[in-house]
Amino acid sequence: MNIDDILASVSAPPALLLPPQTYDLQTLTRAWVTERSAPEILPWPGELMERVLERLGRQIDKYALHYLTSALSKAKLSSSELEYLTRHQMLLQQHYASSFLGQVPPNLQRLDDTVGGLSMVDVPDLDRAVFVRALIDVREAIVIEGTDVAFEMRTGDVFVVRWRAVRNLVEEGKAELV
């Protein structure tokens, strides 16, 4: 490695050095701080907001029916998210009905059917592995359901663990996903 390589690596645009999600988060944070500190309104960061909202939209769209039918999940939605999901699901239902559901018997047209013990509603995978960092010392043992694994987290510790095991810690602000 020579001096040109070193200079090129530090002068490269940050977008080339970071994963897109990380770069967008840093840019969004920078835009928020700048907007709050500026004495006047600044230009809307349109492209950045489109990317961020698209990522969020994909998450909420993927499990739309679950979020609308689960009281616990529904309680986590903002009023605008709830309105969006309700309209989205209504449009989807109308589209499916006019496209193909109208051709099948009425007893098979429900999108939230659970006949035969099998649900047609997609739900988030709570056993998916996530990276989590402790923001404070967590004194109580974290138990991985269905296993004999239990552990404690100290401030700064990072673990790869099932989301189900740390969801409450993240929601309570005791840990964060990284």
Side-chain angles (χ1 to χ4, degrees), residues 15 18-35 42-58:
L18 297 171
Q21 298 90 336
T22 304
Y23 177 73
D24 282 350
L25 175 63
Q26 288 180 350
T27 306
L28 183 62
T29 303
R30 197 172 298 115
W32 175 70
V33 170
T34 303
E35 182 74 32
L42 298 174
W44 176 253
E47 289 181 18
L48 169 65
M49 294 306 293
E50 283 179 31
R51 288 192 308 271
V52 171
L53 292 173
E54 182 181 330
R55 281 193 200 101
L56 293 173
R58 270 189 255 139

Side-chain angles (χ1 to χ4, degrees), residues 133-136 138 166-176:
R133 177 181 27 232
L135 297 174
I136 63 170
V138 178
V166 294
R167 174 175 51 182
N168 289 340
L169 296 176
V170 172
E171 289 177 353
E172 294 167 3
K174 295 178 180 178
E176 66 182 350

Side-chain angles (χ1 to χ4, degrees), residues 64-172:
L65 199 52
H66 167 70
Y67 293 139
L68 287 172
T69 57
S70 163
L72 288 175
S73 294
K74 199 174 189 178
K76 295 178 185 179
L77 299 173
S78 69
S79 59
S80 59
E81 288 173 321
L82 184 58
E83 181 183 332
Y84 166 79
L85 274 182
T86 303
R87 278 186 307 175
H88 170 78
Q89 199 58 37
M90 182 185 70
L91 290 171
L92 199 59
Q93 178 90 23
Q94 290 171 349
H95 170 68
Y96 289 164
S98 66
S99 297
F100 60 89
L101 281 179
Q103 309 301 318
V104 298
N107 63 330
L108 298 177
Q109 291 182 7
R110 291 184 49 124
L111 296 178
D112 60 350
D113 200 355
T114 57
V115 172
L118 202 63
S119 177
M120 292 184 57
V121 177
D122 282 336
V123 297
D125 180 6
L126 302 182
D127 289 322
R128 186 178 129 211
V130 295
F131 287 86
V132 64
R133 177 181 27 232
L135 297 174
I136 63 170
D137 287 347
V138 178
R139 301 280 182 212
E140 65 271 8
I142 298 150
V143 179
I144 307 298
E145 191 177 306
T147 72
D148 58 355
V149 175
F151 62 96
E152 291 183 5
M153 294 177 71
R154 303 278 181 237
T155 304
D157 286 352
V158 177
F159 290 90
V160 179
V161 64
R162 293 178 187 165
W163 169 244
R164 179 185 313 271
V166 294
R167 174 175 51 182
N168 289 340
L169 296 176
V170 172
E171 289 177 353
E172 294 167 3

